[in-house]
Amino acid sequence: MPDRQTVLLLGATGRTGGRVLEQLLGRGLSVRAIVRSATRLPAKSAGNPNLTVIEASLLSLSDEELQRHLRGCDAVVSCLGHVINLRGIFGAPRDLVARATERLCRAVEALRPAAPVRFVLMSSVSVNRPGGLDTRRGRGERAFLWLLRGVLPPAQDNQRAADFLLQQIGTGNPHVQWAAVRPDSLLEGDVTAYTLHEGLVNSLSAPGSSNMANVAHFMCELVTDPKAWERWAGKLPVIVNAEK
Ligand SMILES: NC(=O)c1ccc[n+]([C@@H]2O[C@H](COP(=O)([O-])OP(=O)(O)OC[C@H]3O[C@@H](n4cnc5c(N)ncnc54)[C@H](OP(=O)(O)O)[C@@H]3O)[C@@H](O)[C@H]2O)c1
């Protein structure tokens, strides 16, 4: 059993995913990154011997190829998100996050790993935690989000990915355990103090903020710290910057 943990990272060329990549490598983990273009990876990670880059169109990979890349991984971190332009928001694949989540989880299950693989998903505070477990949103906010999911495919996609984890994978799966991290408005900046919450702490009309570096830090903690994992597995933690 190798000592060094191995993580499969999706979205490593993105704003948050790039920070996750740098922080995972900084902690000495091995990272396999599936990216569309290696030229968009953070310059600092180039040539790192613990980084394996797989240049491929994620959703075009066959189940067998996905399983090959997942074999031996302790965790999967997904920071996938739709590119914020007309093509990214309204073009295919509209179900990028949900389809990647489902295919990766099913591929892990097919591998039947000896210990459960941790799946850490970057989600959003626009995602509802079903069962009335979130602080109840006001009627106006619920109507707005309902409309948003109908009009904006990425909003629906994020909800579907979380619903899949909650409803299809659940908390008793012997092969996959998961946590869906819900940041508020993303900000630049370094790692600072942040707080974690089971439910929502801000409203859409008065949003909080979450440094991408803090989101990346928490995602890395989920991968490396057994106590953090025990606390948040099977949950949708909200992460916000601590008040100054
Ligand atoms: N913006 C906010 O305030 C906010 C707040 C909370 C949560 N979120 C959620 O957080 C997530 C990540 O946000 P971010 O701003 O860090 O993302 P980002 O910078 O836009 O990065 C998105 C990543 O997804 C990849 N990607 C996009 N389309 C793809 C496709 N068709 N196939 C394969 N990879 C693809 C991109 O790869 P390329 O480099 O190849 O394009 C990139 O690596 C999103 O799901 C977003 O909804 C955002």
Side-chain angles (χ1 to χ4, degrees):
M1 185 86 177
D3 289 330
R4 195 193 298 280
Q5 280 185 289
T6 301
V7 178
L8 183 72
L9 176 61
L10 296 319
T13 53
R15 300 185 308 156
T16 313
R19 288 166 164 89
V20 172
L21 175 63
E22 288 181 353
Q23 292 189 31
L24 287 173
L25 292 174
R27 290 174 187 229
L29 276 73
S30 287
V31 181
R32 296 177 196 165
I34 303 180
V35 296
R36 295 194 284 190
S37 168
T39 57
R40 285 201 287 275
L41 283 166
K44 269 198 238 167
S45 63
N48 189 307
N50 293 335
L51 172 63
T52 305
V53 179
I54 301 135
E55 248 183 336
S57 169
L58 176 66
L59 295 179
S60 305
L61 293 175
S62 66
D63 291 344
E64 292 70 27
E65 285 169 316
L66 275 184
Q67 287 171 30
R68 183 157 52 81
H69 298 313
L70 280 162
R71 196 177 297 278
C73 286
D74 304 283
V76 178
V77 176
S78 171
C79 293
L80 290 170
H82 297 252
V83 176
I84 303 301
N85 59 30
L86 272 181
R87 197 164 154 216
I89 292 173
F90 294 104
R94 290 183 162 202
D95 56 354
L96 169 70
V97 182
R99 190 143 44 112
T101 300
E102 177 164 358
R103 288 201 59 208
L104 286 158
C105 288
R106 296 305 186 207
V108 171
E109 286 179 318
L111 287 172
R112 306 178 67 80
V117 170
R118 298 173 182 183
F119 188 96
V120 181
L121 176 71
M122 177 147 177
S123 184
S124 163
V125 286
S126 70
V127 165
N128 284 332
R129 191 165 54 140
L133 293 167
D134 267 333
T135 320
R136 198 165 159 74
R137 298 188 200 262
R139 187 179 297 192
E141 194 159 312
R142 278 183 284 142
F144 175 74
L145 281 171
W146 180 80
L147 202 67
L148 203 68
R149 288 190 198 107
V151 179
L152 290 181
Q156 190 182 68
D157 190 19
N158 279 333
Q159 184 67 53
R160 282 191 177 160
D163 288 349
F164 168 79
L165 292 172
L166 274 158
Q167 292 158 16
Q168 304 295 319
I169 299 298
T171 50
N173 191 298
H175 302 305
V176 191
Q177 295 178 346
W178 58 271
V181 176
R182 293 187 292 170
D184 214 310
S185 300
L186 295 176
L187 291 185
E188 302 284 333
D190 295 332
V191 177
T192 59
Y194 59 84
T195 58
L196 301 165
H197 309 265
E198 295 251 357
L200 300 168
V201 281
N202 296 295
S203 67
L204 292 180
S205 56
S209 52
S210 314
N211 283 9
M212 287 175 275
N214 290 342
V215 179
H217 184 272
F218 177 47
M219 291 179 123
C220 294
E221 290 288 294
L222 288 171
V223 171
T224 58
D225 179 0
K227 282 198 181 130
W229 188 252
E230 197 183 318
R231 169 77 182 86
W232 295 108
K235 296 186 174 158
L236 294 88
V238 170
I239 172 170
V240 286
N241 292 349
E243 305 259 331
K244 286 195 188 107

